[in-house]
Amino acid sequence: QVQLVESGGGLVQAGGSLRLSCAASERTASRYTMGWFRQAPGKERDFVAAITWNGANTLYGDSVKGRFTISREYAKNTVYLQMNSLSPEDTAVYYCAVSAGMLLRSTTARYDYWGPGTQVTVSS
C-alpha cells in the first residue's frame, strides 16, 4: 500500500507561484507514473499533470500548459508541481496520485493511490 502526502499548498496572490511536493511512502512508487489532479468546489476532479517513472516524459492538462511544471526526484520518492502565473481559476484542492504502470495517464480511474490533498487558494 503506497501512502502519499502532499505539501506546499497555501494562499497566494494572482500572478504568484507555489511549489507543491508529494512524498511517497514506498520505493515501488518510484517505478510508476505519478500525477497531479485538482478539484474545485462543486466540480469534478481534473487532470493537471503526470510524469513517467524516470522523468523522461510528461503530460499536462490544457489549462496549465506553459505555467506548471511537473518533476520528480527518484532518490526521495518525491514528485513536485511548480505552479507559476497563478490565477483565481487555479484555486482548488490539489491531489497527488500514483498509477501502478509506466504509461502517462490523465484519468482518475487509471490511478491507484491518492494523497489526502492540499489546498491552493489564489486571490485576485
Side-chain angles (χ1 to χ4, degrees):
Q1 183 78 12
V2 177
Q3 294 184 332
L4 304 170
V5 178
E6 303 97 338
S7 61
L11 175 65
V12 64
Q13 288 188 333
S17 298
L18 280 176
R19 189 175 85 150
L20 305 182
S21 300
C22 172
S25 63
E26 298 292 332
R27 172 62 71 184
T28 52
S30 297
R31 301 200 302 264
Y32 297 145
T33 292
M34 295 185 73
W36 288 95
F37 289 76
R38 66 186 182 184
Q39 188 167 19
K43 295 187 177 181
E44 294 185 350
R45 191 168 296 188
D46 291 333
F47 172 72
V48 174
I51 188 167
T52 50
W53 71 275
N54 60 357
N57 296 290
T58 58
L59 181 67
Y60 294 93
D62 289 342
S63 62
V64 306
K65 283 179 181 177
R67 299 188 300 122
F68 290 11
T69 302
I70 189 171
S71 61
R72 69 190 299 170
E73 191 168 354
Y74 182 87
K76 294 185 177 181
N77 295 341
T78 300
V79 65
Y80 304 98
L81 185 68
Q82 177 67 42
M83 305 186 295
N84 299 329
S85 302
L86 286 162
S87 72
E89 288 70 33
D90 295 313
T91 294
V93 176
Y94 282 71
Y95 297 91
C96 173
V98 170
S99 177
M102 301 180 71
L103 300 178
L104 289 170
R105 304 292 191 183
S106 62
T107 57
T108 56
R110 293 290 191 175
Y111 284 78
D112 304 282
Y113 305 100
W114 293 85
T118 185
Q119 177 69 47
V120 171
T121 303
V122 185
S123 63
S124 57

